[in-house]
Amino acid sequence: MKAAPQTRDQALRPRDFDVARVRQDFPILNEKIHGKPLVYFDNGATSQKPQAVIDALSHYYCAENSNIHRGVHHLSEQATAAYEAARSKIRDFINARADKEIIFVRGTTEAINLVAQSYGRNFLKAGDEIIVSAMEHHSNIVPWQMLCEQVGAKLRVVPINHDGEIVMDEYRRLLNDKTKIVSIAHVSNALGTIVPVKEIVTLAHERSIPVLLDGAQAVPHIKVDVQALGCDFYAFSGHKMFGPTGVGVLYGRAELLEKMPPYQGGGDMISLVTFEKTHYNVLPYKFEAGTPHISGGIGLGAAIDYLTNLDWDQVRAHEHRVLSYATEALSAIHGLRIIGTAREKAGVLSFVFDHVHAHDVGTILDQEGVAVRAGHHCAMPVMQRFGVPATARASFAFYNTIEEVDVLVRGIHRVLKVFG
Ligand SMILES: Cc1ncc(COP(=O)(O)O)c(C=O)c1O
């Protein structure tokens, strides 16, 4: 959604979304940092967790801890039921067709590696092409480069324009008979750009090319419907969507997952093992070797329950207000340049000064209690595209407020005072 200008009065006008109420659900937001109230603007790196998620983790270890899928005893059955219930919640949350299309992984990174190694190694050969964009996170670049080295395929990169938007004509031009997979971020972590992924998918599907969408930065902001998007794979991380670290999801269309060999071997992913031959388990277990992050899966289920109880139209409107207010306020600061000015953005405001390094910006803001990310955001090609070594990045969640943006702006003025 384009960030329409907001005056402070407009932005602060009472709305349906009760942000003060919602903030009470996140205990960490009461913390003081260097004696100042925490202003947490590093949600793109990881989001904070509501009490409901913390309670779910604690409850699992206090009352349910047991290994899953293996035991006949009560605790194991209880833990298995809770873990599998979380899978069903995830299915509903992204509108997948079936539980078997939901693979628990460690996070977005592992999900993309799984597809590269299982799908890629089996269905790509020398001379084939893989399309990514110039604004990908390293986790949507490096696994494909590794695959290219293994099978002799080529990585093709769709350029982005100066606002940080995909150049769709170039994408159309790059698609050809050699293209065997397209892998693109739904929302850019460094720029905040919302990518027109439905169009990306439609154009690829006209040539029967499968598409993976990296949803790491989309799921915390956008209601995702994998059937409506039509994508073949969708990857995301629990910890960026108010759930625990170490757990994430690969959604895959069942027809494709069925054709793909296991990614790792071990317990749980087999139906029969002999030294002569092993038979693999059915979906989704074929891709879930070994004891998984059980509490993490259950905690992610609790995060989804929490998110499902929010009114997403209100959440979107509130986030839009905060982002547009912050965009206006930072644009007015002399010498500050915003990197990433796409028409459609979610949650991210990256900025630079010519004469102050992003790390210095981040360090001084930290003294004011403001947590922003400073660096290349695991997207070095984006930095290269914009000719900067690093940016400072404020990334927002629905619990952030207009008043917090004011603290950020005062902090930036302090940075400028210190560095002249
Ligand atoms: C767009 C995007 N993709 C992938 C990742 C990797 O996520 P994870 O480290 O949780 O695997 C991130 C993390 O910042 C991201 O922002």
Side-chain angles (χ1 to χ4, degrees), residues 44 107-109 137 139 187 189 214 216-217 237 239-240:
T108 310
T109 304
H137 187 279
S139 65
V187 172
N189 68 311
D214 169 354
Q217 298 293 342
S237 302
H239 70 100
K240 293 185 198 287

Side-chain angles (χ1 to χ4, degrees), residues 6-23:
Q6 294 266 320
T7 64
R8 191 167 192 281
D9 283 351
Q10 278 171 339
L12 279 172
R13 215 170 277 159
R15 318 273 166 163
D16 296 334
F17 185 68
D18 190 349
V19 65
R21 235 293 306 117
V22 164
R23 287 175 68 83

